[in-house]
Amino acid sequence: MNPGLFEAITRPLPHPVILCAGNGTILAANPAAATSIPQLCAGVSLYALVQDDATVLRTHMGNWLRSGSPLPGALVLKDGDGSRVRFRCHGVRATWWQGPDAAVQLNLQRLDHADRFVVLSRQVSALNREIAIRRTAEAQREELLLAEQAARARLQRLYELTAALASSATLAQVAEAVATTAARVLEAAGVTLELHSKRLVPTLEPGEDLLLLAETAWTDLDRPWDAAQPAPGAAVRIALEADGVVLGSLTVHPGAAGAPESEHLTAVAQQIAQAVRRAGLYEHEHRVAERLQLSLLPQLPDVPGLEAATCYAPGSDMIMVGGDWYDLYNLDEEHIGLSIGDVAGHGLPQAAVMAQVIAALRGIVLRCGTRPEAVLSELNEYLHLYHRGQMATAAYLLYHRPTRALTYIKAGHPPPLVIRPDGVSRYLDGPVSPPVGPVPGARYRQGRTTLAEGEAVLLYTDGLIERRREPLDTGLDRLTETARRGVGMNVHDLCRLFLNHQPGADYPDDRALLLIRPDRPA
């Protein structure tokens, strides 16, 4: 409280109230003081107004400065005309005063006035108590505000972890979310994630290697050379348990704030455990779908004088089987047939259609494999007649060995890529025909080209080039750039290079590839 506030508070009081420094200087006074004696105002020394010996006032001042409760006293002061005015007074140390030196709050009562001093003294004491209570309440409000802000910040960080885990499908994505977010949520120096891979992703057959999973950003507790050691120092380790199964543990290395609260750590661990459980189920279903898909795809025949390689990978966010296929047909000594396609959609119905298309195509190619137009026309009629509502993109190519002539038809399918030995490539951008299935009697137009010695042909499905919110031409340009990097590779390495030409990219659809290189010179 400052002198101005003191004067404002004491203004209504009918008796003099002054605030006096330890040396006797009046710091503030209410209007009733000046009414009693005009000299009782700020800046005047109380010692100058004392009629009697100043020793009496000095003694009183010493007592008042040491007292926490009002002490009585008596003073005789000089009025403006020199007359003597007797006052009964109560003084007490002004504990609320924040000035550099101690001060006394002094309540005066003229002996010739009605004696209401005791009542007013109690009122002043009550005022002092109210001020103290208000200060305490203000400090408590400040503490509550800081606590509320800290809790809000913690909830925001916890929400960030929840959102990161919810958007993570694979174990690698969950591990990345934990590494980048959990430490901030727990205000820790770092966290370590340790998981049992075999509890998360059961093997599909005896002796199956889960090395791919062990290469992620967490420690695999099922690999002896990766077995985690007990955390050193003050690190806190908590089990990750979901559905009654201990999936691993989370080790927290405390930061400057110390170890996290037990309830907070448990809540974070439960969220991570549930995310790990979901990701493990996803990985397992993804592997089952991939295994089923590969079992449906055909084994290519060995063709003398022809190098051939195939690759397949399911989409990044797909756990269902798809309808992608490829096949190679050794028609006779002079002709080789190639097909690739994609039944629209994902799921067991599309996979079943794909398997039947492969079988139907082999029968069709046996009859008319040297006439690409007839092959696609019959496949179109087959889909329309026996699989109403289904549609597929497809490409069929016929290679003539003696002339190196390549005849091709694209039924709504991405163009094949011809790759020279020096890495320069070109797309077969010939006539485009409609997909097979929806339109009976559709006509399929063919294009022709001639392969130079050592040239390879890449067939692929659209999952290899399509990306969300990206033009298709961008994906096609990436393939031509990848072809330049594959100079000197055999067809198997080159096929894998195309399959993984964008490491870490999000592939929304399946990728099926068939790569051939006829009559490669020794």
Side-chain angles (χ1 to χ4, degrees):
M1 186 186 302
N2 55 39
L5 182 57
F6 173 84
E7 292 178 352
I9 293 175
T10 58
R11 182 182 300 276
L13 299 179
H15 66 278
V17 181
I18 64 174
L19 179 66
C20 187
N23 61 6
T25 302
I26 298 175
L27 301 174
N30 68 342
T35 302
S36 298
I37 296 180
Q39 289 80 5
L40 280 176
C41 58
V44 175
S45 175
L46 196 59
Y47 285 97
L49 301 178
V50 176
Q51 280 279 7
D52 299 328
D53 188 356
T55 303
V56 176
L57 177 58
R58 191 172 293 110
T59 300
H60 284 329
M61 289 293 290
N63 294 333
W64 292 333
L65 286 171
R66 291 190 297 270
S67 174
S69 301
L71 295 178
L75 291 177
V76 179
L77 304 180
K78 292 184 292 186
D79 200 348
D81 57 2
S83 60
R84 295 159 55 92
V85 180
R86 297 179 61 84
F87 288 90
R88 181 169 52 195
C89 56
H90 279 76
V92 65
R93 180 189 178 101
T95 56
W96 48 264
W97 172 247
Q98 297 177 350
D101 299 316
V104 170
Q105 180 177 313
L106 194 59
N107 296 272
L108 304 175
Q109 179 69 49
R110 289 184 65 150
L111 292 182
D112 56 346
H113 287 179
D115 190 2
R116 292 184 296 171
F117 179 77
V118 175
V119 175
L120 295 177
S121 177
R122 291 175 178 172
Q123 292 176 343
V124 173
S125 297
L127 176 63
N128 289 337
R129 287 194 298 272
E130 182 179 353
I131 292 173
I133 291 172
R134 287 182 179 178
R135 285 186 176 177
T136 302
E138 185 65 29
Q140 291 175 343
R141 281 196 297 271
E142 185 69 22
E143 292 177 0
L144 289 174
L145 179 60
L146 293 175
E148 181 182 354
Q149 291 173 344
R152 189 180 295 115
R154 172 181 288 184
L155 286 175
Q156 178 61 32
R157 293 193 296 269
L158 189 60
Y159 171 77
E160 292 174 3
L161 174 64
T162 303
L165 293 175
S167 62
S168 300
T170 66
L171 286 170
Q173 291 170 344
V174 170
E176 179 67 20
V178 172
T180 57
T181 312
R184 286 198 303 113
V185 173
L186 296 170
E187 299 180 76
V191 296
T192 303
L193 188 60
E194 302 158 345
L195 301 175
H196 290 282
S197 61
K198 293 181 180 178
R199 298 180 190 177
L200 292 167
V201 188
T203 55
L204 299 178
E205 60 185 29
E208 182 181 17
D209 188 10
L210 294 178
L211 179 61
L212 179 61
L213 296 179
E215 292 175 351
T216 53
W218 43 269
T219 300
D220 187 352
L221 296 176
D222 292 333
R223 299 180 69 85
W225 51 88
D226 287 338
Q229 299 299 319
V236 180
R237 197 173 189 177
I238 185 170
L240 300 177
E241 183 177 346
D243 300 330
V245 179
V246 176
L247 306 174
S249 63
L250 180 72
T251 301
V252 180
H253 306 279
E261 297 177 3
S262 176
E263 295 81 1
H264 186 43
L265 177 58
T266 300
V268 171
Q270 287 175 348
Q271 285 202 32
I272 295 175
Q274 291 297 331
V276 166
R277 182 65 168 169
R278 290 195 305 270
L281 293 173
Y282 175 91
E283 296 273 5
H284 180 61
E285 294 177 5
H286 199 273
R287 291 166 70 88
V288 170
E290 183 178 9
R291 186 70 57 87
L292 176 59
Q293 184 80 41
L294 291 174
S295 69
L296 294 175
L297 291 172
Q299 297 293 320
L300 303 188
D302 292 328
V303 180
L306 179 74
E307 291 183 283
T310 61
C311 290
Y312 170 80
S316 303
D317 53 1
M318 296 290 180
I319 61 173
M320 297 185 294
V321 289
D324 292 18
W325 87 82
Y326 49 72
D327 209 347
L328 186 150
Y329 317 95
N330 191 10
L331 301 177
D332 53 45
E333 292 183 356
E334 294 186 351
H335 296 92
I336 297 171
L338 307 166
S339 73
I340 194 165
D342 181 6
V343 178
H346 287 83
L348 288 176
Q350 284 71 28
V353 172
M354 176 265 287
Q356 294 177 58
V357 164
I358 292 174
L361 260 177
R362 288 187 167 181
I364 292 171
V365 169
L366 282 177
R367 293 195 309 274
C368 52
T370 57
R371 293 180 290 123
E373 290 177 314
V375 171
L376 268 297
S377 294
E378 285 203 27
L379 179 61
N380 179 60
E381 296 304 320
Y382 168 78
L383 270 179
H384 183 74
L385 181 61
Y386 294 106
H387 299 285
R388 288 292 181 94
Q390 296 287 354
M391 181 189 75
T393 65
Y396 181 77
L397 292 80
L398 177 68
Y399 178 65
H400 186 236
R401 291 174 182 262
T403 62
R404 297 185 185 274
L406 187 68
T407 305
Y408 60 93
I409 294 180
K410 299 176 298 176
H413 202 78
L417 182 66
V418 178
I419 308 165
R420 288 180 6 193
D422 61 1
V424 176
S425 59
R426 72 183 189 278
Y427 285 102
L428 298 182
D429 291 322
V432 178
S433 301
V436 292
V439 182
R443 295 185 59 187
Y444 293 92
R445 299 182 298 164
Q446 60 189 30
R448 291 183 177 86
T449 189
T450 301
L451 298 183
E453 186 177 17
E455 284 189 326
V457 180
L458 174 68
L459 308 180
Y460 54 92
T461 54
D462 55 8
L464 188 66
I465 55 176
E466 287 185 347
R467 299 291 180 277
R468 295 183 178 93
R469 298 178 294 276
E470 180 181 270
L472 192 61
D473 288 344
T474 302
L476 294 172
D477 292 341
R478 275 197 300 267
L479 291 192
T480 59
E481 178 60 32
T482 303
R484 296 188 184 95
R485 304 202 311 266
V487 175
M489 290 185 177
N490 60 48
V491 291
H492 299 283
D493 292 340
L494 186 57
C495 191
R496 285 191 291 269
L497 175 65
F498 278 109
L499 180 71
N500 303 297
H501 70 284
Q502 263 193 302
D506 180 26
Y507 293 93
D509 202 354
D510 298 350
R511 292 161 283 160
L513 291 80
L514 170 58
L515 180 66
I516 65 162
R517 183 152 50 197
D519 304 319
R520 184 181 183 188

